[in-house]
Amino acid sequence: MGNRDIEKNRENYPNYHQGPPPQQQQQASSNYVIVSDKRWKSWLVPLIVIADIAIFIVGMVINNCPKNYFGVDSCFARFLGRVSFQPLRENPLLGPSSATLLKMGALQWERVVNQHQGWRLISCIWLHAGVVHLVANMVTLVLIGVRLEQQFGFVRIGILYLVSGFGGSVLSALFLQRNISVGASGALFGLLGAMLAELFTNWTIYANKAAALFSILLMVAINLAIGMLPHVDNFAHIGGFLTGFFLGFILLMRPRFGWLERHQLPDYARVKTKYLPYQMVFYFIALAVLVAGFVVGLVMLFKGKNGNDSCNWCHYLDCVPTSRWQCDT
């Protein structure tokens, strides 16, 4: 992300506390740079990491590979006993079986729609297919989530995380009806989408706008490209990203300069409205799109619709077949 301006430009206003010269007073009130930025202590993101690790360990205990697996291959790392992994041929990510994941709440279209288990749209966010999957997601969560929570607080980031994960689950269930899906990737992509929206809606406070935009778009592009590999649920990524993007315009707006400091600035530098007009335009457009998207998506899902019927090319967003792999295997 780009560096934020924390202080007023001292070169233009060397006697800031006494007020700038009269000819520059109007210019002062139109400078929307944040003077001070309250920082929260991050505790929610570490708590999510601990919870995900604990749930994974519980899943491995329930899996109990040595007792429940009778295949040709032996359980991997059998010396771990009850928490040893399924054979690598079945699960190369070092984790439990698909049956165990389903038992614990993995996302599956059949169970959500026909067995009325809508809670799986949320429970799947807390499950991971293996150690590799878990570590990759938790490292990403710490790198992105801690900073966002410090800037915006646990309430807004908690809402972003859960709603984005839910949005990713809805899109995944609509398009991947024959497979199961687990993981926090949709929620993590939601945080990336929110970062991009935050850049746009708080555009005036960024010192290096181009660098901030490039870094975020690069991260999103790389992760979406990885999602086109087989056995990766890219629809959860896309759904989470879009949900987080629109939520970012709603939850991550920063007040304009002069509002946060209205009790410290002289009269000529104070502003009466908390947000800029373009921020409010983004807010209402994002709110309308988000509500409409969830309504349409949930209605289609619980009516048993297949998203691929409405978009016959969308399956390429999830997997692109090559000479090395087929997407339907």
Side-chain angles (χ1 to χ4, degrees):
M1 283 226 178
N3 296 325
R4 300 181 185 280
D5 293 327
I6 303 301
E7 296 183 356
K8 197 80 169 114
N9 189 324
R10 300 292 180 174
E11 295 179 0
N12 292 336
Y13 305 113
N15 299 316
Y16 171 70
H17 292 290
Q18 287 74 38
Q23 65 271 20
Q24 296 179 352
Q25 289 182 5
Q26 290 184 348
Q27 185 177 355
S29 62
S30 61
N31 238 331
Y32 304 119
V33 183
I34 288 182
V35 177
S36 63
D37 190 9
K38 179 180 178 181
R39 296 181 69 84
W40 283 264
K41 184 176 182 180
S42 176
W43 62 267
L44 179 63
V45 168
L47 186 63
I48 292 174
V49 172
I50 294 171
D52 281 347
I53 293 173
I55 291 171
F56 179 78
I57 294 174
V58 170
M60 294 305 303
V61 172
I62 294 173
N63 189 63
N64 195 1
C65 183
K67 179 181 178 180
N68 297 320
Y69 184 76
F70 304 101
V72 176
D73 299 330
S74 174
C75 298
F76 182 74
R78 199 177 182 88
F79 64 89
L80 293 174
R82 182 169 183 142
V83 295
S84 59
F85 308 110
Q86 288 296 113
L88 294 182
R89 193 172 183 179
E90 180 182 341
N91 188 345
L93 297 179
L94 304 178
S97 66
S98 298
T100 298
L101 292 172
L102 272 174
K103 183 186 299 183
M104 295 186 66
L107 179 63
Q108 187 185 50
W109 180 88
E110 169 68 23
R111 301 197 180 202
V112 170
V113 177
N114 295 329
Q115 299 182 27
H116 309 293
Q117 297 178 5
W119 50 270
R120 290 179 179 271
L121 295 167
I122 292 293
S123 62
C124 67
I125 303 171
W126 305 92
L127 301 174
H128 289 84
V131 172
V132 177
H133 188 202
L134 176 68
V135 170
N137 277 354
M138 294 304 98
V139 169
T140 304
L141 175 59
V142 170
L143 292 177
I144 298 175
V146 168
R147 182 173 181 179
L148 283 174
E149 187 180 356
Q150 288 174 342
Q151 291 180 339
F152 296 99
F154 72 93
V155 173
R156 284 183 279 184
I157 300 309
I159 293 173
L160 262 171
Y161 186 85
L162 290 176
V163 178
S164 296
F166 179 73
S169 297
V170 171
L171 196 66
S172 175
L174 279 171
F175 284 92
L176 299 181
Q177 299 191 351
R178 294 182 298 171
N179 302 317
I180 69 170
S181 179
V182 294
S185 300
L188 296 177
F189 267 83
L191 297 182
L192 282 174
M195 288 170 60
L196 184 60
E198 192 267 335
L199 171 62
F200 288 145
T201 195
N202 301 318
W203 186 257
T204 56
I205 71 172
Y206 277 84
N208 195 339
K209 300 174 175 61
L213 180 60
F214 177 78
S215 62
I216 296 174
L217 290 178
L218 181 63
M219 282 192 293
V220 173
I222 291 174
N223 283 280
L224 287 177
I226 293 173
M228 292 184 181
L229 298 173
H231 310 297
V232 179
D233 185 0
N234 212 26
F235 285 115
H237 297 172
I238 296 170
F241 176 80
L242 292 175
T243 303
F245 179 70
F246 291 115
L247 267 179
F249 289 111
I250 299 169
L251 297 178
L252 304 187
M253 283 195 301
R254 291 181 183 272
R256 65 200 294 187
F257 172 76
W259 176 267
L260 288 176
E261 306 297 328
R262 62 188 179 277
H263 298 301
Q264 302 176 22
L265 297 178
D267 291 339
Y268 57 77
R270 296 177 188 173
V271 293
K272 296 181 179 180
T273 57
K274 189 172 183 178
Y275 299 109
L276 292 166
Y278 81 89
Q279 289 178 302
M280 299 308 300
V281 171
F282 282 157
Y283 177 94
F284 286 111
I285 292 176
L287 182 61
V289 172
L290 193 65
V291 171
F294 270 117
V295 169
V296 171
L298 290 172
V299 168
M300 288 182 62
L301 176 61
F302 287 104
K303 280 189 173 183
K305 302 291 185 181
N306 188 333
N308 294 287
D309 294 337
S310 303
C311 180
N312 56 16
W313 56 268
C314 284
H315 61 279
Y316 291 116
L317 296 174
D318 182 62
C319 179
V320 178
T322 70
S323 58
R324 293 181 175 272
W325 63 72
Q326 295 297 319
C327 295
D328 57 352
T329 58

